Amino acid sequence: MRTPRQLQGLWRASLRTADGWRTVREPRGPYATASMLEWGSITKGLVGTTAWLTLEAARPVVHYLPGVPDAEMTVADLVHHTSGLPRLPATMRDQLFGDPYREAVGVPLDHAVAVPATPRGRFVYSNLGYALLGAVLDEVHGDWFAAVRQHILEPAGISSAALVPAHADRVVPKLFGRAIQPWALGESSFAAAGGVWSTFDDLCRYADWAVEPSAGQSRTGSWQRERASIWINGEVRAAGAVIAIAAGVTAAVHALAKAPHAADMIATALIEREVRETCNG
């Protein structure tokens, strides 16, 4: 059978069915020499659930951070991307080749930049919103990542997660023989929007914990839904990751240096193939 184009290249994947997890693509290339993968915006799943478990969702953000301009914006608005906040503050811009987060390294988030660009209640994906949610968790717990570790990572059995892993441990693609430097997300005030790294096995452990039957939907509040399918994904400078669940199959995929949303396309192709082969079997 001809291999679909989206299944070529550098990526790792595992599928979980009723029989448990199985490896679809063994580690190769950079995946065989290092272990830490960027989660990107899958980080938001950790942060949103921690906020849901430890904060009052209906409480205005200004209760925790008095400097926030919008007095009606709630914790739930930040979790669900309905705050009206833009993807990034007006002072920051997505860059094709540069690192938009480098200027935020070592610089506390300015709460005054959290100015809505659209009305509350409308879905607008916002890294700024999750950076602000991280600031709320910092205010309440002292450190948002310590709170995530306590409420999510440790209960899920995840031990490898870090914001700034050693360079030698990072799985990154190369261009002309040189490693492509990741964005400085984990070092910046936007870390809560996408700064977590972990091993691939721990990414799968998060998938198990998030959709554990006894948890209901409480652990997937930051995930996306369409009919019976749910997923959470992340795109960073030269990598992408996704956990996708459909038709009783879970796919965990990480991909390097591919087109935007390549990990999502790979996960979809793997799930479709698994379902097709199961039906034909």
Side-chain angles (χ1 to χ4, degrees):
M1 182 175 66
R2 192 173 183 180
T3 303
R5 179 174 297 178
Q6 65 263 34
L7 297 185
Q8 300 174 7
L10 293 171
W11 53 276
R12 277 204 67 181
S14 287
L15 289 179
R16 189 189 66 187
T17 62
D19 296 325
W21 285 99
R22 79 170 188 276
T23 300
V24 174
R25 169 74 67 96
E26 295 286 349
R28 62 180 68 176
Y31 292 104
T33 58
S35 60
M36 296 291 280
L37 316 177
E38 284 187 274
W39 283 29
S41 287
I42 294 179
T43 301
K44 292 181 173 71
L46 307 177
V47 175
T49 299
T50 301
W52 209 256
L53 292 174
T54 66
L55 307 176
E56 293 184 37
R59 177 163 285 185
V61 175
V62 72
H63 171 82
Y64 302 103
L65 305 175
V68 172
D70 186 347
E72 297 184 358
M73 181 191 305
T74 67
V75 169
D77 284 326
L78 298 182
V79 171
H80 298 305
H81 298 282
T82 56
S83 64
L85 293 175
R87 183 180 183 88
L88 291 173
T91 54
M92 294 175 66
R93 289 286 182 268
D94 286 316
Q95 302 177 38
L96 182 59
F97 298 108
D99 181 352
Y101 302 100
R102 177 61 59 183
E103 64 190 66
V105 172
V107 179
L109 183 68
D110 181 2
H111 304 159
V113 304
V115 179
T118 57
R120 283 180 61 241
R122 183 186 306 171
F123 180 88
V124 177
Y125 192 86
S126 179
N127 283 344
L128 173 57
Y130 265 79
L132 195 63
L133 191 57
V136 172
L137 291 172
D138 281 342
E139 183 67 23
V140 174
H141 299 287
D143 180 81
W144 72 265
F145 191 57
V148 162
R149 190 176 299 281
Q150 176 185 352
H151 294 281
I152 312 292
L153 300 177
E154 291 177 356
I158 294 171
S159 59
S160 69
L163 296 177
V164 188
H167 286 276
D169 295 335
R170 301 179 184 187
V171 177
V172 295
K174 292 184 177 181
L175 181 64
F176 304 121
R178 298 183 61 181
I180 297 176
Q181 291 301 313
W183 285 334
L185 254 172
E187 306 165 63
S188 76
S189 52
F190 282 75
V196 167
W197 296 65
S198 85
T199 64
F200 186 79
D201 287 344
D202 274 348
L203 181 65
C204 294
R205 288 187 180 95
Y206 172 60
D208 282 338
W209 181 86
V211 297
E212 191 176 42
S214 62
Q217 294 187 2
S218 63
R219 298 177 184 175
T220 56
S222 300
W223 292 40
Q224 301 176 70
R225 288 176 164 78
E226 185 174 334
R227 300 186 181 91
S229 301
I230 63 171
W231 71 94
I232 188 167
N233 58 2
E235 294 284 327
V236 284
R237 187 178 211 163
V242 64
I243 299 168
I245 304 171
V249 180
T250 300
V253 178
H254 190 274
L256 291 175
K258 294 176 75 69
H261 305 296
D264 300 65
M265 291 187 286
I266 292 170
T268 299
L270 292 174
I271 291 173
E272 289 177 347
R273 187 169 69 182
E274 179 70 19
V275 171
R276 185 169 58 251
E277 291 177 354
T278 299
C279 292
N280 293 338

